[in-house]
Amino acid sequence: MRSRRALLYMPGDNWKMIAKSVTLGVDSICMDMEDGAAVNKKAEARATIVKALQELDFGASEKLARINSVGSGWERDDIEAVLPFRPDGIVIPKVESCEQVEWASRIIEDAELKNGWQVNSLRILIGVETAKGILNLKEIAAHPRLDAVIFGGEDFAASIGATRTKEALELLYARQAVIVACAAHDLQALDIVTIDYKDADALKAESEFGARIGFVGKQIIHPNQVQIVQEAFTPSDEAIAYARRIVETFAASQKEGKGAYALDGKMIDMPLLRNAEKTLARAKAAGK
Ligand code: COA
Ligand code: MG
């Protein structure tokens, strides 16, 4: 699975922002037809995204298109407009049931078969951002076309009637529900947007906290956020070196018949090895 440390949104009708996004070295670019595109700009967003998919070189960045939610009435026109120009994936917002993912997956599979693209190569990322979405995530997360679950903090707060705070304690349960479901189904968990895009310190702190609790990436909305977020979700040199030492010493201790052993005054056993392997996998995915 590709690395998605930062997923940058821009309104799909904003050519200037899309053209800029391909120069930023960001892991994922998400051209939006949903809430970032005004109601009277939906058609323009579809046409602009199509033009971008045809004309722009996205380099190593992933090219994603976010459709409107299944049931909004716009979703079919959205997905049918962009699919022929082969984005790397489709983002479905406000997912609340397995059927909604299956609806999109069928349409995508038809396009894959029709165009001779490898079946299942075009991925789905879902936005889970309502109370129902969190409750049903256990079933939804099992869908085989999924790569990632994106947690929408602002929408979720609105869904449960919570007041958003900087500490985001009101979101902790749902964020952890997303992390757990993703871990159980081998998916990537992507964290909330820091909407105060001028506050670099807050962004760094929120990114580092997200990484600590198990998110592998974060949604962003401004070019200034790319580097801070991608760094926060890349294991540090020290973390990588320590993980390597655990992997090496663990193998040696197993040979000696010891399941648990001491390293630098700390106990190391199987769960620490698993975590170390995850760190190394993340570092590798991030090109380190
Ligand atoms: N993607 C790519 N480029 C972006 C961008 C984005 N999300 N946001 C801003 N830029 C560009 C601007 O076009 C500008 O480019 P320029 O220097 O070439 O003129 C530069 O970055 C600086 O932008 P700035 O003036 O600081 O931002 P702004 O005041 O124009 O816009 C926002 C602020 C928040 C309105 C804007 O960043 C935005 O629309 N973000 C995306 C919102 C979105 O998609 N929401 C839905 C999903 S949550
Ligand atoms: Mg949302």
Side-chain angles (χ1 to χ4, degrees):
M1 219 185 299
R2 62 190 301 157
S3 173
R4 298 187 178 94
R5 295 164 301 175
L7 184 152
L8 173 66
Y9 293 103
M10 73 289 307
D13 55 291
N14 194 318
W15 176 259
K16 192 169 163 254
M17 286 191 191
I18 300 175
K20 183 163 189 111
S21 71
V22 305
T23 68
L24 299 172
V26 64
D27 287 351
S28 296
I29 294 170
C30 184
M31 299 170 280
D32 190 21
M33 292 170 272
E34 201 219 7
D35 290 347
V39 171
N40 62 0
K41 293 277 188 180
K42 300 292 183 196
E44 197 179 323
R46 288 177 202 128
T48 308
I49 294 170
V50 164
K51 184 173 145 76
L53 289 171
Q54 285 179 295
E55 294 179 11
L56 293 179
D57 179 2
F58 284 74
S61 298
E62 180 180 37
K63 39 193 184 191
L64 300 171
R66 182 163 81 168
I67 63 172
N68 282 278
S69 59
V70 182
S72 65
W74 287 306
E75 69 275 20
R76 182 172 287 278
D77 287 347
D78 291 344
I79 198 167
E80 286 180 352
V82 299
L83 266 186
F85 303 94
R86 215 196 172 293
D88 296 317
I90 294 290
V91 178
I92 316 173
K94 299 186 180 71
V95 169
E96 298 189 323
S97 74
C98 225
E99 291 71 38
Q100 293 173 323
V101 182
E102 188 50 26
W103 172 84
S105 185
R106 289 230 171 115
I107 293 175
I108 293 171
E109 185 167 327
D110 285 347
E112 287 170 336
L113 292 169
K114 199 172 121 202
N115 292 287
W117 304 330
Q118 199 188 335
V119 171
N120 266 329
S121 61
L122 219 146
R123 309 302 295 165
I124 292 179
L125 293 77
I126 55 168
V128 168
E129 40 199 342
T130 61
K132 264 199 186 134
I134 291 292
L135 281 184
N136 296 333
L137 190 51
K138 199 170 149 189
E139 287 79 38
I140 299 169
H143 197 285
R145 198 183 282 272
L146 285 186
D147 261 17
V149 177
I150 304 168
F151 179 62
E154 307 311 316
D155 276 300
F156 186 75
S159 160
I160 62 168
T163 303
R164 284 287 283 114
T165 63
K166 204 166 177 171
E167 297 72 32
L169 266 184
E170 66 282 0
L171 300 180
L172 192 55
Y173 164 74
R175 281 161 101 189
Q176 293 190 305
V178 168
I179 291 164
V180 171
C182 285
H185 293 280
D186 235 338
L187 304 176
Q188 295 170 332
L190 306 182
D191 202 8
I192 54 176
V193 174
T194 305
I195 57 174
D196 191 354
Y197 62 90
K198 297 204 165 147
D199 189 342
D201 293 338
L203 178 67
K204 186 164 186 276
E206 197 172 273
S207 303
E208 287 172 352
F209 175 77
R212 272 203 303 280
I213 64 173
F215 282 104
V216 302
K218 187 172 177 70
Q219 306 163 79
I220 60 173
I221 51 156
H222 193 278
N224 286 349
Q225 297 183 312
V226 174
Q227 209 191 342
I228 294 172
V229 168
Q230 294 195 164
E231 240 171 68
F233 286 96
T234 305
S236 66
D237 291 343
E238 301 79 67
I240 295 170
Y242 187 58
R244 286 213 180 101
R245 277 186 69 210
I246 290 180
V247 170
E248 285 157 13
T249 52
F250 191 90
S253 115
Q254 285 285 312
K255 269 195 195 140
E256 287 171 27
K258 279 193 251 164
Y261 63 101
L263 181 67
D264 302 341
K266 285 198 187 114
M267 190 271 292
I268 306 291
D269 65 354
M270 187 57 94
L272 282 96
L273 173 73
R274 282 209 204 97
N275 229 335
E277 285 170 344
K278 281 219 163 110
T279 299
L280 294 179
R282 275 186 204 185
K284 193 170 168 215
K288 251 182 139 173

